[in-house]
Amino acid sequence: LDPGLGKTKICLDFTAYMRLNRVLVICPKALMFVWEDEVAIHRPDVSYTTFTTTEWDNHADLSKTLWIINYRKAVILKDLLKRVKFDAIFIDEGLVKNASSEQTKAITALSKNIPNRVIMSGTLVNNTEADVFSPVRILEPSLVGTAYGKFRDTYFNVWLPNKEDKDIKVTCGPKDPEMIKSILHSCSLVMRKEEWLSLPDKQFIEIEVPLPEQTAHHYYELLANYITTV
């Protein structure tokens, strides 16, 4: 979903309407307060616990519906979290694109036995189309398989920089971009602002602010050299 279309609220509403007993929310540390604020504004009927530390006994409250934790703490506590029965997992910002990273491996393992899996993102593909593998493997493994190498060799052009070492492969773009798009769309809901919101045209107001001579000198020196002396 585009920014501003309420991904967090949608997930909170889903939690309430489906009467989910326990949901694991994994998000960047900087966004943990957003979940708390959104609960207070939109779903005060949903209880939550926030993992501000890795002290398990201080935060693991089975009576709470939402368990809000950042990515790093989820990796550290992955073995304990696996023991908890969650009805859903919400992965905010979808930071699970590097198939070989410790973070992606831990969250993939965590989500394996959770029946409802949601990845929330405005830009799921940041680098190449190969970014779709790890998120889709979490959402619906049957679409991409569980081995990145097999997925890469099946759907992407591959270059061997060293002909004598065939284990070193460089991805050079998809063989069929529309196929990659269809794989992603088959497990995604896409919403754009222009389709879902009636917004007035943007209005730009230009305000000229004259700078004192000395301030202007430092400003243009910064602009030209990225450094100035005051």
Side-chain angles (χ1 to χ4, degrees):
L1 278 64
D2 279 341
L5 288 182
K7 290 182 286 289
T8 305
K9 181 181 185 301
I10 289 172
C11 287
L12 291 174
D13 288 344
F14 177 75
T15 299
Y17 294 151
M18 297 298 292
R19 298 182 179 179
L20 302 178
N21 291 320
R22 198 167 299 117
V23 176
L24 179 61
V25 176
I26 301 178
C27 65
K29 184 177 181 180
L31 297 183
M32 295 176 73
F33 81 95
V34 173
W35 281 89
E36 297 175 336
D37 289 349
E38 292 287 294
V39 169
I41 295 170
H42 301 294
R43 303 295 331 187
D45 52 316
V46 175
S47 60
Y48 68 88
T49 177
T50 303
F51 281 72
T52 56
T53 71
T54 55
E55 296 296 327
W56 179 259
D57 292 336
N58 291 343
H59 307 297
D61 187 345
L62 295 177
S63 69
K64 304 298 184 181
T65 299
L66 290 183
W67 290 33
I68 305 170
I69 188 168
N70 68 46
Y71 281 88
R72 187 60 197 154
K73 290 184 177 64
V75 173
I76 294 171
L77 298 174
K78 61 182 184 300
D79 293 329
L80 291 170
L81 290 169
K82 284 180 185 177
R83 301 176 188 175
V84 180
K85 183 180 179 181
F86 291 104
D87 298 314
I89 180 170
F90 300 151
I91 305 171
D92 200 355
E93 295 298 331
L95 303 182
V96 286
K97 296 162 193 171
N98 184 347
S100 62
S101 74
E102 179 188 18
Q103 180 167 293
T104 298
K105 290 177 179 178
I107 294 172
T108 300
L110 270 175
S111 64
K112 187 175 181 181
N113 296 316
I114 300 177
N116 298 289
R117 301 179 292 273
V118 177
I119 293 177
M120 309 156 58
S121 178
T123 52
L124 190 63
V125 178
N126 296 107
N127 299 307
T128 72
E129 290 88 341
D131 283 350
V132 308
F133 172 75
S134 293
V136 173
R137 180 177 58 173
I138 290 173
L139 296 174
E140 184 47 72
S142 64
L143 292 172
V144 294
T146 57
Y148 174 73
K150 186 175 182 180
F151 170 79
R152 176 199 58 204
D153 293 346
T154 300
Y155 294 105
F156 289 83
N157 299 303
V158 176
W159 173 54
L160 300 177
N162 184 351
K163 301 296 183 182
E164 296 179 359
D165 189 350
K166 296 187 177 181
D167 290 331
I168 300 177
K169 298 180 178 180
V170 177
T171 302
C172 302
K175 297 174 182 177
D176 185 349
E178 290 304 315
M179 176 61 74
I180 301 300
K181 186 182 294 186
S182 68
I183 289 173
L184 181 59
H185 283 193
S186 67
C187 59
S188 302
L189 171 66
V190 179
M191 296 174 64
R192 300 297 183 198
K193 282 184 176 179
E194 58 268 21
E195 298 170 352
W196 290 90
L197 295 179
S198 297
L199 297 174
D201 294 335
K202 289 183 179 179
Q203 294 186 3
F204 297 93
I205 301 174
E206 296 184 7
I207 301 176
E208 183 176 344
V209 180
L211 298 177
E213 183 177 351
Q214 185 177 7
T215 303
H217 169 76
H218 290 302
Y219 175 81
Y220 288 108
E221 194 172 42
L222 278 172
L223 194 65
N225 306 311
Y226 301 103
I227 188 170
T228 188
T229 302
V230 179

